[in-house]
Amino acid sequence: GDAALGAVNIVMPITIVFFGLATMVSVGGGALISKNFGANEDEKGISIFRQVTYMLIIMSLCLSAICVIFAKPIVKIMGATENLLPLAAEYLKYYAMFCLPSLLGIAFNSFLRNDNKPKLAMVSTICGTISNIILNYIFIFKLGLGIKSAAIATGFGQIITLLIALPHFILKKGKLSLVIVADDASDNTKKLFKDKSSYRKINQIYFATKVELGLAIGKSPRAVIGIKDKSLASKITELMQ
């Protein structure tokens, strides 16, 4: 009803503060990470990513604790009247419990865009939003769980956003150190990977045939293969010089 909408509006500025903090840290950190990757200082970039992630985890846990413990005083300061106070405090408590996935989801989406994965960032955001809408409908209109269910549905939506973005960072094994293009690859393939390697500042060499490259990795013929191990890439480059 009107009281519930009023309570949500009371808490809304706090949710915007959460979003602003996550955006501030992720955009600033993302700029530093991209700068170091561009300068071929990958370890420094990865270190900054870890520092930003740890900072967001600590920040979100602190914000969750403060908002859960001091929910009533906070919403009272925000202007909640006596009839809105219980509803606003309840909504803030349950919303704050999901502060961790909320902040990390926002930050990781920003990092995905920095890591040339804007489509994955878009998909994670859309899936989280759709889940939020569906769960709000089920919790509020079908199950009648009240205002707390709106906060829980939003929290679950944020968790889905985070779960879609997270595997990219967990499973990623690092950047390529060397690209080997077969001598008999097509001119279009050679130009494509030359441009990509130049843009990403990755060493590239032309060697062997497509059949030989495929045999080297136990696969069918390959026009291009990539090597991530820096020491192996360095040895191959030395041998080719």
Side-chain angles (χ1 to χ4, degrees):
D2 293 341
L5 288 174
V8 172
N9 285 328
I10 290 292
V11 179
M12 190 61 65
I14 300 173
T15 68
I16 294 172
V17 169
F18 288 176
F19 178 84
L21 288 172
T23 303
M24 176 185 70
V25 174
S26 61
V27 170
L32 292 174
I33 292 168
S34 297
K35 175 187 173 185
N36 284 286
F37 279 169
N40 284 328
E41 295 181 352
D42 295 355
E43 291 301 322
K44 191 173 180 181
I46 293 170
S47 176
I48 293 172
F49 170 76
R50 289 172 180 161
Q51 290 174 29
V52 170
T53 302
Y54 294 149
M55 181 179 178
L56 284 169
I57 291 172
I58 294 170
M59 185 188 300
S60 60
L61 292 176
C62 291
L63 289 172
S64 292
I66 292 170
C67 290
V68 169
I69 296 171
F70 302 105
K72 285 188 177 181
I74 290 172
V75 295
K76 199 167 185 180
I77 292 172
M78 298 298 296
T81 58
E82 289 301 321
N83 63 319
L84 291 179
L85 186 62
L87 289 173
E90 182 181 30
Y91 183 82
L92 177 59
K93 280 182 182 178
Y94 282 94
Y95 186 91
M97 289 178 185
F98 296 94
C99 189
L100 179 61
S102 175
L103 267 63
L104 287 180
I106 294 167
F108 283 1
N109 269 339
S110 178
F111 292 145
L112 283 174
R113 289 188 287 273
N114 287 336
D115 205 19
N116 296 314
K117 292 292 181 181
K119 288 184 180 179
L120 182 57
M122 179 185 69
V123 168
S124 66
T125 302
I126 290 174
C127 289
T129 302
I130 293 174
S131 301
N132 185 8
I133 294 170
I134 294 172
L135 291 174
N136 265 302
Y137 174 76
I138 294 172
F139 289 165
I140 296 174
F141 295 102
K142 293 296 183 181
L143 301 180
L145 297 179
I147 192 171
K148 66 181 179 183
S149 64
I152 294 171
T154 301
F156 282 154
Q158 292 162 346
I159 289 174
I160 289 171
T161 295
L162 179 61
L163 290 177
I164 293 173
L166 199 56
H168 173 79
F169 301 101
I170 294 176
L171 301 177
K172 194 169 184 181
K173 297 180 181 179
K175 297 172 65 178
L176 291 176
S177 298
L178 176 66
V179 171
I180 303 177
V181 181
D183 285 326
D184 58 347
S186 68
D187 291 338
N188 287 336
T189 299
K190 289 180 179 179
K191 184 179 184 306
L192 174 64
F193 281 91
K194 181 181 179 181
D195 293 341
K196 285 188 174 184
S197 299
S198 176
Y199 176 75
R200 297 176 183 273
K201 297 183 179 179
I202 301 171
N203 291 331
Q204 177 181 307
I205 60 174
Y206 297 97
F207 177 69
T209 64
K210 289 187 284 188
V211 173
E212 289 170 336
L213 286 184
L215 289 173
I217 59 174
K219 302 286 184 180
S220 57
R222 292 287 190 273
V224 181
I225 61 174
I227 296 175
K228 293 179 178 179
D229 186 273
K230 288 186 177 180
S231 61
L232 177 59
S234 178
K235 289 178 181 177
I236 293 174
T237 305
E238 287 175 7
L239 289 171
M240 293 300 298
Q241 290 176 348

